[in-house]
Amino acid sequence: MCDNSVFSIFPPAPAQGTVTVCEQHGGLLSSPAQSKPYNKLPGYPDVVLSGGGSSSLTHRENAKSAFLPHNETVWKRALHAWYEMGSPGVFEEIVNSSDEVPDWVAVLDKKTLTLVRWANSLHGSIFPHLSMSNEEIVTEFSPIVNWSSSPVRAFAWHPHTFKFAYALRDDSIKVHSGKSDLVPTLKHKLQKNVADLAWQPQSASVLAVACQSCVLIWHVEPTSLATRPSTSSCQVLQQNHHAPVTCLAWDPSGRILLSASPVDTSLMAWDVPMETCVPLCRLGGGGVSLLRWSPDGSKVFSATPSQLFRVWETRTWTCEVWTKCTSRCKAACWSPDGRTLLFATENEPIIYSLTFSTNIDDTSTVIGGSQSAVVSVSLAEVDLKTEDGETTKVGGLVQSMVMDRHGERLAVTLHDGKGQVLPYIALFRTRTNPMLEITPCGLVQGETGEYPLHVSFQPSFDRGALLSVVWSSGALRYVPLYFIPSGEIQNAQYHQPAPPTLNGNILSPIARHA
């Protein structure tokens, strides 16, 4: 127990058997789970995100069954992997098929795969994740807990239009758009182990998909009546030794796409129309496990599988490094103005904050971050009263966190450190100007037995903030948070750097600072 935990001053937790419906007049309201539809919003589809294949099959069997005959030998599958991913793909395939090869081959292959990944990581020490299979790596670094068995692998709202996409367990992707009943399904032979989705800003149709061996760029035209778009609508972006891809981030102007892999120390900055990339390489860390581009476009946060993380400035792509974390960074989010970064590590029930200066002229290459992180919130476990007078334990380690576009609500999912996500979402009121303030709002609860897989804010909701939650049952539900924003962020108030570009003049300093 911890007297300093923020949960000691939280409002009472929802009663057992109730579901959080909305925030109104500064408090969260709940309703009995039996009184459906308790969260119906006009114009928002009721969706159960399921249909991802039988759980009686392994994921590898599910993903490949549509494209490869079941009677193919491991050596023929290894040949396919060679064409798709090169030599690492061959080793990966044999490791995944260890029951089909002699024991000595399986052991030798696993050690070779570890060596190959170590060499690709450009780091002088072996990281445990380098000996994992691709599926194990994605499971380890995905923001969705128990990714390999989850009904939903990834979820993303479009930043401007009413549209969202989600990836299912069989690696198919479905796209819901506005009030249309047409739901396109996206499938591609390289669309395996989908770990992340990202819609391109300033475009209604471009969706980036992080896959086992590449990044796929789908062009899903809003006016198309096709329920199964052709693979001719899809670009393939591949780079040697940059796999599996687990995280994507577009710059707010939509000009550059960043991709990251936990086994590659280089970020890949893609010019999507040209299908070319520039590697942003720094030694150390063993790879890149998490990306967050600041909403103002000026900075990129990148975490590694080790205890260090970096913040890049996007004018000349220099970076600053923070190295004194107790473990790897698990979750992070930016304030809307790009001044404040919130992050949490893997083994501490704490949200830290870093502040960044905005008084930097256009010629500066200084990021302006504070030298050390500040403890903003303790999430240590405490006993909390419920609305029906019972007592429940609340608190844990951060699984994921997101902030709404006004910078006034922060949603945090938690886990117990043993692989189990806690069955509620901690909701906070926040202010970032003139200084960071985080205060309790309440706990968001689903139906009995559910826990949150993915949380996000619908970007264009105009009556406060709309929290969307994908629950472990596969249900997508909405929790409207009705409030009047204290003030819309005005772009003119803040320093707006020039949009990042990928021409040689801008990215050439990378080599000098490597």
Side-chain angles (χ1 to χ4, degrees):
M1 303 296 173
C2 178
D3 294 335
N4 296 325
S5 173
V6 70
F7 290 115
S8 62
I9 58 172
F10 250 62
Q16 184 74 16
T18 64
V19 175
T20 305
V21 177
C22 68
E23 177 192 346
Q24 204 165 37
H25 305 304
L28 293 176
L29 304 181
S30 299
S31 172
Q34 296 82 4
S35 60
K36 295 181 179 180
Y38 46 75
N39 64 341
K40 176 67 176 175
L41 282 179
Y44 286 80
D46 291 325
V47 181
V48 176
L49 313 184
S50 60
S54 169
S55 59
S56 64
L57 297 176
T58 67
H59 169 67
R60 186 171 60 85
E61 290 168 339
N62 274 328
K64 295 188 176 184
S65 60
F67 305 110
L68 296 179
H70 289 283
N71 60 356
E72 282 197 339
T73 67
V74 61
W75 310 114
K76 187 169 287 189
R77 295 198 303 272
L79 184 60
H80 284 285
W82 171 272
Y83 289 127
E84 288 182 10
M85 298 176 61
S87 56
V90 176
F91 300 132
E92 170 78 21
E93 179 60 46
I94 296 175
V95 167
N96 285 338
S97 307
S98 56
D99 56 337
E100 301 178 46
V101 299
D103 291 343
W104 69 269
V105 173
V107 171
L108 179 61
D109 187 77
K110 190 167 186 177
K111 290 182 177 179
T112 304
L113 181 62
T114 301
L115 182 61
V116 169
R117 284 178 167 163
W118 169 79
N120 292 341
S121 75
L122 300 177
H123 196 268
S125 59
I126 301 277
F127 293 90
H129 71 281
L130 297 179
S131 63
M132 297 178 180
S133 68
N134 279 343
E135 185 172 334
E136 289 170 337
I137 289 173
V138 177
T139 300
E140 174 70 17
F141 296 104
S142 171
I144 293 182
V145 73
N146 300 325
W147 172 91
S148 60
S149 59
S150 170
V152 178
R153 296 290 180 79
F155 181 96
W157 283 101
H158 193 284
H160 309 303
T161 65
F162 184 83
K163 181 185 295 188
F164 61 87
Y166 54 92
L168 297 172
R169 190 183 303 168
D170 64 354
D171 288 321
S172 64
I173 296 172
K174 294 185 180 292
V175 178
H176 288 257
S177 181
K179 299 180 180 179
S180 173
D181 294 329
L182 185 69
V183 182
T185 300
L186 311 179
K187 292 186 178 182
H188 192 283
K189 66 180 181 180
L190 297 180
Q191 195 166 287
K192 304 172 186 178
N193 286 346
V194 174
D196 199 11
L197 302 172
W199 289 98
Q200 182 184 25
Q202 315 302 331
S203 168
S205 62
V206 178
L207 175 67
V209 182
C211 302
Q212 173 176 295
S213 61
C214 63
V215 177
L216 296 180
I217 305 294
W218 284 96
H219 298 262
V220 187
E221 294 301 329
T223 57
S224 173
L225 299 179
T227 58
R228 179 73 184 275
S230 167
T231 55
S232 63
S233 305
C234 186
Q235 297 172 262
V236 178
L237 307 180
Q238 281 184 309
Q239 188 72 6
N240 290 337
H241 313 306
H242 188 69
V245 181
T246 60
C247 199
L248 301 170
W250 289 95
D251 87 274
S253 69
R255 299 174 64 180
I256 299 174
L257 173 66
L258 293 181
S259 65
S261 171
V263 301
D264 186 359
T265 56
S266 294
L267 288 174
M268 295 299 164
W270 294 93
D271 182 330
V272 173
M274 298 298 294
E275 299 186 1
T276 59
C277 71
V278 175
L280 308 177
C281 182
R282 289 293 185 272
L283 299 181
V288 181
S289 57
L290 182 64
L291 286 177
R292 294 291 183 265
W293 206 311
S294 66
D296 71 341
S298 66
K299 293 175 285 293
V300 172
F301 168 85
S302 67
T304 72
S306 71
Q307 298 175 353
L308 69 85
F309 66 84
R310 298 178 175 88
V311 176
W312 301 74
E313 58 84 22
T314 61
R315 199 185 71 84
T316 61
W317 293 100
T318 57
C319 67
E320 292 181 1
V321 183
W322 281 260
T323 60
K324 296 184 179 180
C325 297
T326 58
S327 60
R328 76 175 176 91
C329 182
K330 178 78 171 180
C333 65
W334 288 98
S335 64
D337 58 11
R339 290 181 175 183
T340 304
L341 174 71
L342 301 180
F343 70 92
T345 61
E346 194 174 30
N347 63 2
E348 292 181 297
I350 292 172
I351 296 177
Y352 291 96
S353 65
L354 281 172
T355 56
F356 295 83
S357 172
T358 57
N359 298 319
I360 300 174
D361 61 42
D362 287 336
T363 63
S364 174
T365 61
V366 177
I367 296 172
S370 51
Q371 294 300 308
S372 59
V374 175
V375 174
S376 294
V377 177
S378 170
L379 303 171
E381 186 180 79
V382 298
D383 290 327
L384 183 66
K385 290 287 187 181
T386 65
E387 292 175 343
D388 56 358
E390 300 295 325
T391 299
T392 185
K393 291 188 181 299
V394 177
L397 304 174
V398 175
Q399 176 68 25
S400 66
M401 58 182 171
V402 290
M403 185 176 286
D404 83 298
R405 67 185 179 93
H406 303 292
E408 299 196 18
R409 294 296 182 273
L410 176 70
V412 182
T413 62
L414 303 165
H415 68 98
D416 62 3
K418 302 174 183 177
Q420 181 59 51
V421 174
L422 302 183
Y424 49 77
I425 301 156
L427 187 66
F428 298 90
R429 299 184 186 91
T430 54
R431 291 182 59 185
T432 59
N433 191 26
M435 59 183 297
L436 177 66
E437 295 180 15
I438 302 178
T439 57
C441 184
L443 298 179
V444 175
Q445 179 173 274
E447 296 185 3
T448 302
E450 290 182 329
Y451 58 85
L453 292 177
H454 184 278
V455 295
S456 54
F457 285 101
Q458 203 280 330
S460 57
F461 191 71
D462 59 2
R463 289 173 287 170
L466 181 63
L467 180 67
S468 66
V469 186
V470 179
W471 295 95
S472 55
S473 63
L476 170 63
R477 302 198 193 101
Y478 314 99
V479 183
L481 312 175
Y482 298 113
F483 63 89
I484 299 175
S486 59
E488 293 285 341
I489 304 282
Q490 300 295 324
N491 289 339
Q493 290 181 316
Y494 303 107
H495 170 78
Q496 291 295 312
T501 61
L502 281 178
N503 61 49
N505 292 332
I506 294 298
L507 286 181
S508 58
I510 292 298
R512 296 199 297 271
H513 293 278

